[in-house]
Amino acid sequence: MWYPTHMTGARSSILPDERRRMIAQLLRQHGSVQVSALESEFAISPMTARRDLDELERRGVARRTHGGAVLPGLSSHEDSFQQRLEVEVEAKERLAEAALALLEPGEAVFVDSSTTAYFAARRIVRENLQCTLLTNAVAVMDLLCEVDAPQVELIGAGGTLRKLTRSFVGPQAVRAVEAHFADHVIFSVRGLTPDGYLTDPDSLEAEIKRAMIKRARQAVLLVDGTKFDRPALTQIAEVNDIAVILAADVAETVLRPLVRAGIDVRTV
């Protein structure tokens, strides 16, 4: 059980994002926190403490309980593609613009089935950037059918249709990815663990992402602040396998260990 340290004088002026980061750290250390203890620890009202815990639950860092919160279990839950399209839209638009700036005409680009990568693909198609997109994402394939972008070529990886994510997965899709090489892979993940693992709720999706990373000259990870300290069930790769991380609305303190590890981290 965690007990407050009564450092209220020093902690009462902490900014909300930093306070929530510290609460998340307490959760990882002790497994649970109580609203009453957070009041004493940070000199905040019960309403503020509950609001912080609600926000951490929204990010997948905590699971709310009566009077407090506990660590969430490793998650295999996954929202549908359509649901995720409506989440963090403004951040995904900025990430898409930053991803587009990394590309040169004539390059080949893997695009995974994440909604974040879909935003990037949509921007590429709208700009009619001369390139070849290689993807297992049905939504990206639909883009090329709906938008007149004659300079964008598409190679689709077929396989078993996974309706939840609108993507093709399985051995056939993996073989289709492994039959090609690309200049970049643009992708996202469900969560990054504190010790640097990229994770996904589904093992078949993780397998596709892993194959794309291995076959790309440069792996470009697109993340927003909801992706950190939010582990999912299956490991995709290690963060050291990534060349560039584009980050939207992520605290500098969270990104600092990635920078120290030698990864090119760019905030957008």
Side-chain angles (χ1 to χ4, degrees):
M1 175 63 70
W2 163 66
Y3 296 95
T5 58
H6 303 293
M7 294 176 61
T8 55
R11 296 192 171 188
S12 58
S13 60
I14 292 174
L15 294 173
D17 279 348
E18 178 66 9
R19 185 178 64 244
R20 289 165 188 164
R21 185 192 66 79
M22 295 171 73
I23 294 172
Q25 186 175 21
L26 290 170
L27 264 171
R28 290 194 297 272
Q29 290 173 347
H30 305 284
S32 66
V33 294
Q34 296 295 314
V35 168
S36 57
L38 295 178
E39 292 176 56
S40 301
E41 177 75 4
F42 297 100
I44 55 178
S45 69
M47 182 180 295
T48 298
R50 285 191 287 269
R51 189 181 301 121
D52 283 349
L53 294 179
D54 288 343
E55 174 61 20
L56 291 177
E57 183 175 54
R58 188 187 70 81
R59 298 179 186 179
V61 177
R63 180 168 62 82
R64 291 286 274 116
T65 62
H66 180 69
V70 297
L71 277 176
L74 290 178
S75 176
S76 60
H77 171 75
E78 193 172 5
D79 292 329
S80 72
F81 183 90
Q82 201 61 40
Q83 288 173 307
R84 289 182 285 114
L85 273 180
E86 308 301 323
V87 177
E88 303 292 339
V89 171
E90 195 272 337
K92 289 174 182 176
E93 293 283 10
R94 281 185 282 132
L95 289 167
E97 182 176 359
L100 180 68
L102 292 176
L103 307 181
E104 297 290 339
E107 291 186 322
V109 185
F110 283 125
V111 178
D112 80 337
S113 61
S114 66
T115 55
T116 308
Y118 169 79
F119 273 72
R122 186 171 65 182
R123 184 65 185 272
I124 290 168
V125 171
R126 287 176 175 174
E127 295 291 331
N128 192 25
L129 176 70
Q130 182 188 359
C131 67
T132 299
L133 299 182
L134 305 97
T135 186
N136 69 320
V138 174
V140 176
M141 298 176 193
D142 285 344
L143 276 175
L144 270 299
C145 296
E146 297 167 356
V147 180
D148 183 22
Q151 295 194 107
V152 182
E153 299 291 337
L154 174 74
I155 297 176
T160 302
L161 178 64
R162 190 165 185 256
K163 292 183 180 180
L164 184 69
T165 50
R166 299 188 66 196
S167 62
F168 290 109
V169 296
Q172 185 177 342
V174 171
R175 286 195 297 270
V177 170
E178 291 178 340
H180 298 87
F181 291 90
D183 296 286
H184 311 276
V185 53
I186 294 175
F187 76 111
S188 191
V189 297
R190 167 65 178 272
L192 284 77
T193 69
D195 48 353
Y197 290 100
L198 314 180
T199 63
D200 192 90
D202 183 76
S203 60
L204 296 176
E205 296 284 0
E207 195 173 16
I208 295 289
K209 295 173 193 278
R210 193 179 306 120
M212 289 180 172
I213 291 168
K214 289 180 179 178
R215 284 292 194 267
R217 178 175 55 82
Q218 183 184 66
V220 182
L221 176 64
L222 279 53
V223 291
D224 59 62
T226 66
K227 307 294 185 180
F228 290 83
D229 295 334
R230 189 184 183 188
L233 192 61
T234 305
Q235 177 185 333
I236 301 165
E238 297 184 27
V239 75
N240 289 333
D241 297 323
I242 307 306
V244 179
I245 295 178
L246 301 179
D249 304 329
V250 183
E252 182 182 347
T253 52
V254 174
L255 296 175
R256 197 172 296 139
L258 300 171
V259 175
R260 285 200 297 263
I263 299 167
D264 182 359
V265 179
R266 309 180 190 184
T267 57
V268 301

